[in-house]
Amino acid sequence: MRTAQPPVITIDGPGGSGKGTITQMLAQRLGWHLLDSGAIYRLTALAAVRQGVALDDESGLVRVASGLDVAFEPTPPGQPARVLLAGEDVTSEIRTEVCGNNASRVAVLQPVRDALLQRQRDFRKAPGLVADGRDMGTVVFPDAPFKIFLTASPEERARRRFNQLKEAGVDVKIDALLEEIRARDERDMNRSAAPLKPADDAQVIDSTGLSIEEVLDRCMAVVGQA
């Protein structure tokens, strides 16, 4: 007789839709574990660069992915979880646009995705898991009882990212951010390996014009915890 798996809430969607913040807040409110799958791909890209592995070297990237030492540590409400690579806090480093673009290049390679698949599934532990990514509900946890696809307009996502970077003291142009977001969307939605799309049974939430609290309330309503 099979033992019931701990429940999973998957939150998929494009970059800048608010997935990371909502995942962190949901996990804290429910007292569940969290998985930032995008961070895992960013960590793979960062580790590859540090080890001198080219981002088109599939065998090298699989080796990096297979040996990835990653952990997430909770932070106060409203802040992203701390991301540790081999015990080093790389939370800020993996959030750069360069690292994000590198991660997007790595994520199109099916052998790398295969290497990271079981590692992501291993985060499924009691009492439950909130998993943030682009294919959590379609590929990694297709049996998840609660699936959310969080989206927002490219202009809204560029504005949010612009404000984040300005607050961090980074000089950036919003037009360039918008162009990068559209290019990444195009790449993610049209890749052959797990393209970005809502799961058939996912609840789609458009966060354009909504506050974080309003988005959280909608997500809580989906999981029946409102």
Side-chain angles (χ1 to χ4, degrees):
M1 183 174 181
R2 294 182 60 186
T3 302
Q5 290 265 49
V8 178
I9 302 169
T10 62
I11 303 182
D12 291 315
S17 59
K19 303 189 308 294
T21 301
I22 290 299
T23 297
Q24 171 87 349
M25 295 175 75
L26 266 179
Q28 288 178 331
R29 181 169 294 190
L30 296 171
W32 288 12
H33 300 284
L34 67 88
L35 165 62
D36 179 350
S37 70
I40 287 184
Y41 284 96
R42 287 171 180 257
L43 285 162
T44 301
L46 176 61
V49 170
R50 288 184 171 186
Q51 296 176 33
V53 176
L55 298 180
D56 59 356
D57 177 0
E58 286 193 355
S59 61
L61 289 169
V62 167
R63 185 179 67 253
V64 171
S66 298
L68 200 64
D69 180 1
V70 54
F72 300 102
E73 290 187 350
T75 57
Q79 297 181 19
R82 290 180 70 228
V83 183
L84 304 179
L85 175 62
E88 177 189 350
D89 187 345
V90 294
T91 309
S92 298
E93 189 169 358
I94 65 168
R95 297 304 174 191
T96 65
E97 292 302 308
V98 170
C99 193
N101 286 326
N102 287 344
S104 187
R105 291 174 60 189
V106 167
V108 303
L109 303 175
Q110 188 62 49
V112 179
R113 303 188 73 84
D114 292 342
L116 291 173
L117 181 58
Q118 187 57 49
R119 185 172 293 269
Q120 294 174 83
R121 288 176 172 165
D122 289 341
F123 280 87
R124 187 176 195 169
K125 299 176 181 178
L129 174 70
V130 188
D132 151 24
R134 285 171 168 75
D135 64 352
M136 296 296 96
T138 54
V139 176
V140 182
F141 300 107
D143 63 335
F146 308 108
K147 299 179 182 179
I148 295 168
F149 190 86
L150 190 59
T151 188
S153 70
E155 292 78 11
E156 174 82 355
R157 290 184 280 134
R159 182 187 64 78
R160 292 172 182 171
R161 184 63 176 153
F162 177 79
N163 289 336
Q164 288 175 344
L165 292 173
K166 292 295 285 186
E167 288 177 5
V170 179
D171 185 21
V172 65
K173 296 186 182 300
I174 194 167
D175 289 344
L177 286 176
L178 180 57
E179 183 177 343
E180 289 175 1
I181 283 173
R182 286 175 170 161
R184 191 179 302 175
D185 285 352
E186 179 72 16
R187 187 163 58 240
D188 290 344
M189 288 187 293
N190 292 292
R191 67 192 184 199
S192 58
L196 172 66
K197 64 178 182 179
D200 292 340
D201 52 348
Q203 294 288 322
V204 178
I205 298 176
D206 189 333
S207 66
T208 305
L210 298 179
S211 68
I212 287 296
E213 290 73 20
E214 289 172 325
V215 176
L216 180 62
D217 286 344
R218 295 192 184 192
C219 292
M220 291 294 287
V222 169
V223 300
Q225 299 287 339

